Amino acid sequence: KLPGSAKPLVGPALETVFEELGKIQNSKERAAKLFQWFISPISAKKFFSEIWEKKPALIRRHNPDYYKGLFSTAEFDRILRDNDVQYGVNLDVTSYSNGERETHNPPGRALPFNVWDFYKNGCSLRMLNPQAFSVTVWNVLSILQEQFGSMAGANVYLTPADTQGFAPHYDDIEAFVVQLEGKKHWRVYNPRTKEEVLPQVSSPNFSQDEIGEPILEVVLEAGDLLYFPRGFIHQGDCLSDTHSLHITISSFQKNSWGDLLDKLLPAALQIAIEEDVEFRQGLPLDYLSYMGVQNSEKDDPRRTDFTEKLQGLIKKLAKFAPVDAAVDQKAKDFLHDCLPPVLTEEEKATSVFGVPTRWEDGDARDVAVQINGKTKIRLLRKCVARLCSEGEAVILYHTVENSRVYHKEEPKFFEVDSEHTDSVEFLIHSYPTYVTVESLPCEIPDDKISIAELLFEKGLLLTKNPLPSS
Amino acid sequence: KLPGSAKPLVGPALETVFEELGKIQNSKERAAKLFQWFISPISAKKFFSEIWEKKPALIRRHNPDYYKGLFSTAEFDRILRDNDVQYGVNLDVTSYSNGERETHNPPGRALPFNVWDFYKNGCSLRMLNPQAFSVTVWNVLSILQEQFGSMAGANVYLTPADTQGFAPHYDDIEAFVVQLEGKKHWRVYNPRTKEEVLPQVSSPNFSQDEIGEPILEVVLEAGDLLYFPRGFIHQGDCLSDTHSLHITISSFQKNSWGDLLDKLLPAALQIAIEEDVEFRQGLPLDYLSYMGVQNSEKDDPRRTDFTEKLQGLIKKLAKFAPVDAAVDQKAKDFLHDCLPPVLTEEEKATSVFGVPTRWEDGDARDVAVQINGKTKIRLLRKCVARLCSEGEAVILYHTVENSRVYHKEEPKFFEVDSEHTDSVEFLIHSYPTYVTVESLPCEIPDDKISIAELLFEKGLLLTKNPLPSS
Amino acid sequence: KLPGSAKPLVGPALETVFEELGKIQNSKERAAKLFQWFISPISAKKFFSEIWEKKPALIRRHNPDYYKGLFSTAEFDRILRDNDVQYGVNLDVTSYSNGERETHNPPGRALPFNVWDFYKNGCSLRMLNPQAFSVTVWNVLSILQEQFGSMAGANVYLTPADTQGFAPHYDDIEAFVVQLEGKKHWRVYNPRTKEEVLPQVSSPNFSQDEIGEPILEVVLEAGDLLYFPRGFIHQGDCLSDTHSLHITISSFQKNSWGDLLDKLLPAALQIAIEEDVEFRQGLPLDYLSYMGVQNSEKDDPRRTDFTEKLQGLIKKLAKFAPVDAAVDQKAKDFLHDCLPPVLTEEEKATSVFGVPTRWEDGDARDVAVQINGKTKIRLLRKCVARLCSEGEAVILYHTVENSRVYHKEEPKFFEVDSEHTDSVEFLIHSYPTYVTVESLPCEIPDDKISIAELLFEKGLLLTKNPLPSS
Amino acid sequence: KLPGSAKPLVGPALETVFEELGKIQNSKERAAKLFQWFISPISAKKFFSEIWEKKPALIRRHNPDYYKGLFSTAEFDRILRDNDVQYGVNLDVTSYSNGERETHNPPGRALPFNVWDFYKNGCSLRMLNPQAFSVTVWNVLSILQEQFGSMAGANVYLTPADTQGFAPHYDDIEAFVVQLEGKKHWRVYNPRTKEEVLPQVSSPNFSQDEIGEPILEVVLEAGDLLYFPRGFIHQGDCLSDTHSLHITISSFQKNSWGDLLDKLLPAALQIAIEEDVEFRQGLPLDYLSYMGVQNSEKDDPRRTDFTEKLQGLIKKLAKFAPVDAAVDQKAKDFLHDCLPPVLTEEEKATSVFGVPTRWEDGDARDVAVQINGKTKIRLLRKCVARLCSEGEAVILYHTVENSRVYHKEEPKFFEVDSEHTDSVEFLIHSYPTYVTVESLPCEIPDDKISIAELLFEKGLLLTKNPLPSS
């Protein structure tokens, strides 16, 4: 059991955290540091070995300002005012009362005039993709996705005092409930069966008599964190004296070994069939007469032979499994799921967004600024791009043109010419170290410049120093 | 090498064969007997143990009438006259000359006026589904499909003297070349590589210098049979003194262990994920950093661990494999592929097609004829229907309403009510024995009558004796 | 009111009629003659001027054999036995009792065992496209379609004694009820409103109190004919002593001036816009402020101006109307709707179906038979083909490859090369006269042969004499 | 020919114009005033009677600052920096040199680093929907669309000195070329044929020898305006000493009488068929034998009768034309095409966007603010909403939720309950006068409040005074 001491747990403010993150060159390290701040004082090492995917964890901080700046009700109000927030798409209005869960979304845009009226009438508000409206949430999630190697998402929940917005249920994601304002009374329950441990899909709403006794009951206060794995049933309701605002950060949806096998098995079978004649040999002439459900109660030794033959072939499949290619399929999905990176000012200054090329005084200026052999370059992020093979072609998938709205853009990629492939791989493996353009492993010097320019133009590269104006 | 003796091999005429087949109650035995006639004097047992899927076989009979009645050029002419044979759909006009393979199909219907003109000009004719036009071919194939447990198809080839219609190639089916008229010079070549042994797909056309030396070269004469497995390259051309007519009977397209695994693996994974938490556990946080093609040359021990973990899971899959359900998927495809059965006169008389119910003298007659508890019944054929589970429902798939044209009809099936399931299974397992309706394992006597009537009405049942007129 | 005399009206038997029709060269005259036989003793001239589209007509013949050979219940039984008649597609089982109309179609094939059981239980049977199963009905309809210049269809109705199969309703076609066997009591009612005169769509089923009093009530007997235009409500029921079999021949579905205008108006507007700038001029800047439903009660003189301007443009459209092109659109639809022609033995002998080219004695024979300049040719039927312009191309639409099942085949056509266009037109206008191939208006003699061969090969031409065998 | 005097034409700055527009209550008057400013010193009355759709017009102002603030190259640069401008979607890179027109768009986002490089290399830049990126352009166009009663669009063109970006061509819209910076040499040519006057579709690119001699040749300078109707060929190229930036404002695409007839004719025919039996009567039996292209040269009096009959029916159509309903179809399209309105600060304060309802100090505040019977209301704009009938329902179409990107949103509408219809119509016709809620013509007082609240919540209403905070 985790301790709930009365001494406030202090930590750097979010603003300071971001400042420090900006100094870290390696985006993986940034991600680790940000995640550590989220779960402090538990160490990430301990968290991932003892808690992650295993059991709920509660971190009480007695420090209502710990997550300050991440999100607030004032920000919620501002977003409604300034953005085209659509009911049902970006915002849900819900209630849970007398065991009945209802959704009250009208059609069209959600404006404060309506939204706060619903709230005053006891409805809960769920903002479905705050990362599309809040740069801070976007930034946090785009960093954390590198920690998880899996998409990081978020919902914001605002609940009036003395109400509950949702019925008990479990989700298909790892959940980090970050209490931002007010308080919320939470109850967390064990998965009900072996099959509901780490489930692949979320549950329907449960009634109170289907879920047993909670294993954790707590009043979460601003600054506290509650984690629970997928499959743990949970419900939260507000006390009579205060509202609640929390953001739930989630990850690891469809990111199991089974999901990878789903990519891997068809490819493995394809290869096995191509390479091993045993997979291509015909089925026994008469197998339909002793196999199949209608024969399943027959006591026929051929049934055993047939089943064992198939099981043997399945086991043999293992050696044909194209593991790296299947991982690349998952990686491509991950890069499509990813939020685009948020650049720091320093990063902007040394990327394509910071080049002095501009219109000024009636003319295009500093167009001649060029990358040359001495220019030192690196990728923008560890996970900003990935090299995959597709048939004969080598494709670079990347995240820089993704949308802040989930899958609003198609996967972004371009083919890498064969003379550039080694250089791109070199850049990937050199990360986070800067290398000179002339050190790229292209045979022809001009190719070094051209692949560097291409990646720079796409926004995938940083230069060590800003490109000078002429 | 198979012998080519000069003594004629005599056998019963096709007509006699059919007569004898009609006396055999069990359709599987019929199929075996017909197949045995086709490959005589080789025994089926020897054929399937030593030749099938392994090597070509030649049967020389010195008996041009052996296959008489199966198909002829006169029948070809009659079909053109009486049926809407469409170029490109039912008939191909081809040539192969100076290494160039061409197709000469005009649009529209193929009439003798045109077709024989093409032929006179040296073109080969391939009739693509003679079973749609010839009852004999339909009958032969519909019987043989029970021998193979896999669709049996046929093409007819008519080639003018001194020409060749097709380039060397291999097919994706087991081929029985039945020489019907004239002679053809055949050359058969070994698969070129290990990967081309028992291939899943047919080859493109080869040039002469891609195929090496033939392992079998022979002039096939009327009454002879040539078999070769999928993957064996072949080409046939006509001698200068005579045309050639042959029918190629084929089977075992996509009927390998690999094809069954293609049905089995997704279902096995689904079950493994549901039942074994190991398949639902999350992937390692950082696997994307050491797995994937871009990391494939890294020397990282985590790569080995990761790969072994996946291989272990694949092996573990074997025990979750729902073999019978996957076989049923294949069986459903097979029943959809099947030709509908051709009924003998005796079968017609004791099926729904033979009941005396009719219009006569201004009134509907003998409508009252009914199946009762004493009526003895059995299924029409061993393979005419198959019981499969789909979710909660039990479905009976059947072939009686299939078309003579491949997949022209959707799969035919109906749901079997739970009170009838045991009776249908009983009928399937009792085949070919007749059982009384009252012996069906239904709890309520009326249910016995109703399932018997239903199956009878659909044409799936025979009665031991014709239903009497009143 | 039409007379119902007691003296039998005699006429030639159907067989004799067909024999005589075969002697008539012009298919339009054939059609007229067959139609005249159907409605005899009323003359076609009188029928079309006084009755057609105006009022019902009854022809009593006191001659039960008048239509003998057209269709019979024995034929109905034979069709069920020999053809794949599908419930719901080719056959409906219906009842109308106590004001309730029901359909009882089970799924699947309709076999006598079932069908006659339904009949014995009081159900009516409607065969939906007897032309697909009966060559006689096909022949009759394929001839009559040239009389109507519009598709001719048919349904067969078999009703048990003392029952009714359908509720009162009206149809969207001109109906000829031909009583074949037994008797039926018919009641026909006037269209209920001006809008229901010659309606474009069929009515729903009416209750008895919605339809008023019949204007015609009659017991139709075998050999009688009842005609009524679309929009006339009707119901028929059987007397207690006999069943009824009738065939309803129908035509003129969607064949009104309005249907032609539907093709014509978009094309007329397109041309007007291209040719007359008045149609291209912009709308008034502010028309949305005084036109539209929300302004329809405004008393604004600009409303009158605007409406009159539009009405003027509509009237002006008339002069841009591409009447012939629109008729061709209708004609194309008609040719697609048409049944394929049924050839007489004489026609077969002088068409592509009769050429001696054949397979015989091991070789293709009489392939050299050729059309030459002296060969006399004509089209097979007046309406078997039609020349239409489409953009730059000239297209010949034809009916010879149509299916006996409505729209089972796509429209059949081919492009006519420019050097052949005049010759095709010449053949169309020469019909039914034979012309020599050399008289075709092609500049180059070889083109004459090639267009004649093409049309002959497609089955569109007859030669005056059978092409000789060599 | 329009004069080009040397005296500067002075006018209010755009900022001042907007200020004054904000004081005008009636959006139609605003639109008229803004348009007048654009074409000053020509009066709108003179423009629309003498020039519009007739001939080009040139307004020389000798006042480079006249249109200042509308758009600039600095704004162009800023947009590239701050927005996801995509090549091919939002920006085209083009060149026209030696008679060859080329497009140079790479894939992906257009960043200054690339764009200005293209520019320096002599390429022209066309921004395709500046209204999506510039609030000023959005505002101008959203006002002008009420002047035209038709969508107003814009493209921005930036051309380097001494180059030309586009080949000569004509467009399908009325074009206002507003010179913003630098100079451009323009040549305008008459439509080449009667058919190309006011064309419905744009032309392909022409070569110089296809277009004849210009009727207008001029060097446009900043502050000048050039108008030409659709169909007038034009080309512009830069002088050697300066670049050019202009914005082309366009309207009246597919807004002709013919476009309205395209909506009107099918509906008119539908009504004529329903109401007038003459349209439902059958075509002559034999019309296919004398009408149609293959008979078009026949001299048959029936051809004249048939054609005159059809022409008579077309003329008769006029009286069935549902003009208001067809205008509503056009209106619905227009409202879908429209840009959403840009609200002034005053308008925001008295709309749903200005209500004090908000989150503050931990609670939702001023939620109780309500519209009551005394509240004075009006529509936001004359053209912001439109009432249309669809079958039985009354639908209100509106523009407030449209996107700044053309047709990115589906048409926006909601059904108006029958008890609210009169009130909505009353509000539409009362515009721009404020009316009290209690004056709305609803029978039940509560309905007055509810329709007012509904329209207010949707953003369609202004209140005379801001709703007070409690």
Side-chain angles (χ1 to χ4, degrees), chain D residues 209-225:
Chain D
D209 54 9
E210 292 177 290
I211 58 177
E213 291 303 310
I215 56 160
L216 178 66
E217 178 158 8
V218 66
V219 175
L220 218 59
E221 300 189 22
D224 293 352
L225 177 84

Side-chain angles (χ1 to χ4, degrees), chain C residues 122-139:
Chain C
C123 292
S124 283
L125 306 172
R126 172 168 61 182
M127 187 172 284
L128 291 164
N129 51 344
Q131 58 270 37
F133 305 112
S134 153
V135 173
T136 305
V137 174
W138 168 23
N139 199 2

Side-chain angles (χ1 to χ4, degrees), chain C residues 240-290:
Chain C
S240 62
D241 61 339
T242 182
H243 76 287
S244 164
L245 179 75
H246 77 264
I247 187 169
T248 299
I249 293 174
S250 61
S251 194
F252 260 57
Q253 192 180 40
K254 303 205 182 309
N255 199 44
S256 71
W257 291 100
D259 293 306
L260 179 55
L261 283 164
D262 195 45
K263 309 277 190 195
L264 181 57
L265 289 174
L269 178 58
Q270 187 57 34
I271 293 170
I273 286 175
E274 279 165 18
E275 297 191 359
D276 185 342
V277 72
E278 204 182 343
F279 287 84
R280 297 195 301 274
Q281 278 163 348
L283 290 161
L285 288 177
D286 50 0
Y287 78 107
L288 291 175
S289 70
Y290 54 82

